[in-house]
């Protein structure tokens, strides 16, 4: 059987959890190895990871790379071409990313969302979770994705749409909702500065564990994905598993989770909060948490790993 080494980014990211889940699972027709020198297949779960391995190893092994999304504003064609010389295949989580990757390579592209851990992410009583976090009686809106560039910890990470998020929140507040925002994760400086400037109340859980994050999902009345560019985001799937109402821009897996024709998918506009006037009636009223849950069930573990097992076992040998 093929031996597969999966390289984690090691930066406290969701992909590090994927690697941990993969490594403790038994797979059909392949075996895990923790030593890249022993591997037949090197699977890199982020594009920049290729520089963490010796060139000679990349030359003599089957190499696969996961590309989560391509941000046109930051895309480095030269870097992609340098890495592509060592890559045998790419994995992407959605058709949107697949289309972008195929513009830059002739290598095989495997399209498959990551598996979902429905033991970790599951529904709880919303009223009880609101009470536990002193959110009872409020309209609670969440965002758990980093929104600020690491270079200066001030500038917005525009691909994630933090400006869109705040504009929508501001519009909902102006429409009469008693809004409070719940933020989780690190690098949230941009949204926090915008919320402070607008006088919007928020609660911030910077480094909470996954148990707490699951509680927080279940305390939300709404999760907003305002991204301009995404491979997922994984929050869409986590909202589906926790029965959390979610709306999203048309990125990544939005159509897969919410439905291609869903009114829960919205367009980004200009003009600030005024563009999103009437947002609740147009988009939030269409939320279908049961439908979202049913659409993602096929990706839950262990079934969600089977397409990866099948793909890895059928690729070329060494």
């Amino acid at each position: 059987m093929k031996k597969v080494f999966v390289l984690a980014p090691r930066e406290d990211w969701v992909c590090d959890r994927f690697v941990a889940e993969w490594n403790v699972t038994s797979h059909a027709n392949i075996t895990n190895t923790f030593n890249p020198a022993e591997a037949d297949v090197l699977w890199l779960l982020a594009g920049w990871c290729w520089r963490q391995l010796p060139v000679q190893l990349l030359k003599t092994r089957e190499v696969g790379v996961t590309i989560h999304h391509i941000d046109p504003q930051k895309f480095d064609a030269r870097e992609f071409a340098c890495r592509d010389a060592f890559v045998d295949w790419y994995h992407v989580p959605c058709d949107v990313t697949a289309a972008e990757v195929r513009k830059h390579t002739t290598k095989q592209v495997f399209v498959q969302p990551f598996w979902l851990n429905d033991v970790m992410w599951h529904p709880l009583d919303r009223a009880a979770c609101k009470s536990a976090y002193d959110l009872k009686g409020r309209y609670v809106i969440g965002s758990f994705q980093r929104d600020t560039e690491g270079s200066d910890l001030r500038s917005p990470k525009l691909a994630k749409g933090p400006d869109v998020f705040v504009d929508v929140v501001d519009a909902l507040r102006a429409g009469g909702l008693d809004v409070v925002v719940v933020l989780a994760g690190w690098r949230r400086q941009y949204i926090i500065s915008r919320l402070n400037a607008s006088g919007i109340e928020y609660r911030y859980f910077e480094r909470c564990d996954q148990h707490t994050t699951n509680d927080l999902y279940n305390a939300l009345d709404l999760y907003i994905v305002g991204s301009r560019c995404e491979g997922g985001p994984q929050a869409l799937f986590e909202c589906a598993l926790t029965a959390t109402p979610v709306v999203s821009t048309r990125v990544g897996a939005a159509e897969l989770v919410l439905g291609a024709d869903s009114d829960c998918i919205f367009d980004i506009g200009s003009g600030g909060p005024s563009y999103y006037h009437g947002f609740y009636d147009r988009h939030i009223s269409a939320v279908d948490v049961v439908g979202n849950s049913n659409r993602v069930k096929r990706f839950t573990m262990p079934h969600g790993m089977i397409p990866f097992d099948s793909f890895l076992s059928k690729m070329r040998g060494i």
Side-chain angles (χ1 to χ4, degrees), residues 18-289:
F18 289 148
V19 173
E21 291 169 345
W22 178 268
N23 284 337
V24 298
T25 302
S26 297
H27 303 279
N29 302 317
I30 57 175
T31 58
N32 296 329
T33 179
F34 298 99
N35 182 354
E38 294 179 353
D40 301 306
V41 181
L42 305 173
W43 179 15
L44 287 55
L45 256 67
W48 59 87
C49 288
W50 74 283
R51 293 190 181 276
Q52 298 176 14
L53 294 173
V55 169
Q56 188 58 32
L57 201 60
L58 295 171
K59 286 181 175 180
T60 56
R61 300 296 189 275
E62 178 182 332
V63 178
V65 175
T66 293
I67 303 292
H68 299 270
H69 69 271
I70 290 180
D71 183 347
Q73 303 302 315
K74 297 181 177 180
F75 180 68
D76 187 333
R78 183 175 180 180
E79 173 74 4
F80 190 102
C82 287
R83 181 186 59 224
D84 191 60
F86 300 105
V87 174
D88 295 286
W89 50 265
Y90 290 93
H91 161 245
V92 299
C94 65
D95 290 328
V96 175
T97 302
E100 290 299 315
V101 170
R102 289 178 177 131
K103 293 176 182 178
H104 306 286
T105 184
T106 58
K107 307 292 176 64
Q108 182 173 1
V109 180
F110 169 52
V111 185
Q112 181 66 32
F114 279 104
W115 52 89
L116 305 176
N117 188 333
D118 58 349
V119 174
M120 179 178 297
W121 309 114
H122 55 273
L124 298 170
D125 183 84
R126 181 152 281 108
C129 288
K130 280 192 169 188
S131 294
Y133 291 91
D134 193 26
L135 296 165
K136 188 176 181 179
R138 310 295 300 278
Y139 189 82
V140 187
I141 303 175
S143 170
F144 303 160
Q145 300 170 266
R146 70 183 75 171
D147 61 74
T148 308
E149 294 289 3
S151 56
D152 62 7
L153 297 180
R154 184 177 62 252
S155 302
K157 192 175 180 68
L158 290 175
K160 300 295 183 183
D163 52 329
V164 177
F165 175 86
V166 179
D167 285 347
V168 173
V169 171
D170 216 347
L172 291 172
R173 181 183 62 163
L177 292 176
D178 184 15
V179 166
V180 59
V181 171
V182 171
L183 302 174
W186 54 307
R187 293 204 340 224
R188 310 312 311 268
Q189 289 89 340
Y190 174 79
I191 279 184
I192 287 174
S193 68
R194 284 282 310 272
L195 294 176
N196 284 332
S198 298
I200 298 173
E201 184 181 345
Y202 65 90
R203 314 284 172 80
Y204 181 30
F205 302 82
E206 183 175 9
R207 294 278 186 172
C208 55
D209 59 23
Q210 275 137 8
H211 174 81
T212 302
T213 305
N214 188 73
D215 285 353
L216 294 177
Y217 270 122
N218 281 281
L220 301 181
D221 294 290
L222 179 68
Y223 191 101
I224 299 172
V225 175
S227 303
R228 294 176 170 85
C229 182
E230 283 281 4
Q234 207 62 21
L236 279 169
F237 294 97
E238 292 163 5
C239 284
L241 292 177
T242 56
T244 300
V246 57
V247 294
S248 175
T249 50
R250 198 175 296 277
V251 291
E255 293 188 1
L256 178 66
V257 176
L258 304 178
D261 299 319
S262 174
D263 286 334
C264 294
I265 298 176
F266 67 94
D267 297 322
I268 296 175
S270 57
S274 62
Y275 175 83
Y276 302 103
H277 176 73
F279 191 89
Y280 190 99
D281 291 335
R282 291 200 310 273
H283 304 294
I284 301 172
S285 61
V287 167
D288 177 13
V289 294

